[in-house]
Amino acid sequence: MSKILFVMTGVDHWTLADGTEHPTGFWAEEAVAPYEAFTAAGHEVVVATPGGVVPTVDAGSLAPEVNGGPEGADRIAAALAAMGEIDTPVKLEDVDLADYAAVFYPGGHGPMEDLAVDAASGRLLVDTLESGKPLGVVCHGPAALLAAEKADGTNAFAGYEVAAFTNAEEIQAGLGERAKWLLETRLVEAGLNVKAGEPWAPNVVVDRNLVTGQNPASSAPLAVELLKKLA
């Protein structure tokens, strides 16, 4: 059994362009599906957040309409409740990469608020990339890649092919016009090569030890690809 580190947002809101705080956190499916895949394969999951705060689930991610109906919503809620690791996170600042076989970042709009500018997360991402250990990042999780700057000020992921929540999806979801910035745009500006798939369809991109997914539907297939790298 090896340990997989889940780096999760520590905030419960995303500040929009007009200063409004949009309630959010992490997206349930993007934590549950990989967690179930990793633990079923015999791995242990450890959750880390900035400051060690207990992460907040985005209430919208528990709604029946994004989980295939009431039955799916009930299953996600039950699975999330069973993830005891979420209630006892370690401090991201104290993480030692040597303790983990892989690192995974779920999404939700939360990372747009904190992980996008979190120095400890940025250092961890640079170290993970350079270590060659499998690194999985899904949906809005790639916002964290924006903080992964090298000593010369360039982004450590520049030149990498990635999938991430697209501008089209953000607009279709209703927040694109209200956002301070759009994830796909910022990643491209940082030098990453975003490979956008169809909105809401699974899209997983593998580039060296980096495995990224575009949206919630990509979280389960991303976990499969990450596990291949741990085999």
Side-chain angles (χ1 to χ4, degrees), residues 17 72 77 123 161 169 193:
R123 287 192 298 272
E161 292 191 347
E169 286 169 320
N193 184 5

Side-chain angles (χ1 to χ4, degrees), residues 93-115:
E93 299 81 0
D94 296 340
V95 163
D96 184 349
L97 179 60
D99 296 335
Y100 302 95
V103 178
F104 172 70
Y105 279 67
H109 280 109
M112 301 278 282
E113 185 79 18
D114 62 351
L115 298 181

Side-chain angles (χ1 to χ4, degrees), residues 26-38:
F26 70 90
W27 197 260
E29 181 181 4
E30 295 166 21
V32 167
Y35 175 87
E36 291 181 335
F38 298 154

Side-chain angles (χ1 to χ4, degrees), residues 2-148:
S2 58
K3 291 183 180 179
I4 298 178
L5 182 71
F6 269 43
V7 180
M8 302 180 70
T9 179
V11 299
D12 61 4
H13 67 277
W14 176 34
T15 306
L16 302 176
D18 64 359
T20 303
E21 292 188 354
H22 175 71
T24 187
F26 70 90
W27 197 260
E29 181 181 4
E30 295 166 21
V32 167
Y35 175 87
E36 291 181 335
F38 298 154
T39 54
H43 301 289
E44 179 184 346
V45 167
V46 175
V47 171
T49 62
V53 302
V54 176
T56 298
V57 64
D58 187 317
S61 69
L62 300 174
E65 36 293 12
V66 297
N67 289 293
E71 194 173 302
D74 289 346
R75 196 197 77 77
I76 283 284
L80 196 60
M83 287 174 61
E85 296 87 349
I86 284 183
D87 299 323
T88 55
V90 300
K91 289 183 180 180
L92 179 57
E93 299 81 0
D94 296 340
V95 163
D96 184 349
L97 179 60
D99 296 335
Y100 302 95
V103 178
F104 172 70
Y105 279 67
H109 280 109
M112 301 278 282
E113 185 79 18
D114 62 351
L115 298 181
V117 293
D118 189 283
S121 174
R123 287 192 298 272
L124 175 67
L125 285 164
V126 173
D127 291 346
T128 306
L129 194 66
E130 293 177 347
S131 75
K133 292 181 177 182
L135 171 61
V137 195
V138 69
C139 200
H140 287 91
L145 305 184
L146 297 170

Side-chain angles (χ1 to χ4, degrees), residues 102-215:
V103 178
F104 172 70
Y105 279 67
H109 280 109
M112 301 278 282
E113 185 79 18
D114 62 351
L115 298 181
V117 293
D118 189 283
S121 174
R123 287 192 298 272
L124 175 67
L125 285 164
V126 173
D127 291 346
T128 306
L129 194 66
E130 293 177 347
S131 75
K133 292 181 177 182
L135 171 61
V137 195
V138 69
C139 200
H140 287 91
L145 305 184
L146 297 170
E149 290 191 349
K150 297 190 288 188
D152 63 3
T154 61
N155 192 287
F157 292 87
Y160 276 75
E161 292 191 347
V162 297
F165 202 69
T166 63
N167 292 356
E169 286 169 320
E170 200 73 83
I171 291 165
Q172 288 178 23
L175 287 169
E177 305 293 344
R178 301 175 62 197
K180 284 184 181 179
W181 50 273
L182 296 174
L183 179 56
E184 180 183 354
T185 299
R186 285 286 297 275
L187 291 171
V188 170
E189 290 173 351
L192 286 71
N193 184 5
V194 178
K195 310 296 284 187
E198 288 297 314
W200 314 110
N203 177 32
V204 176
V205 174
V206 181
D207 189 346
R208 289 157 275 187
N209 58 317
L210 177 65
V211 185
T212 50
Q214 180 171 319
N215 46 35

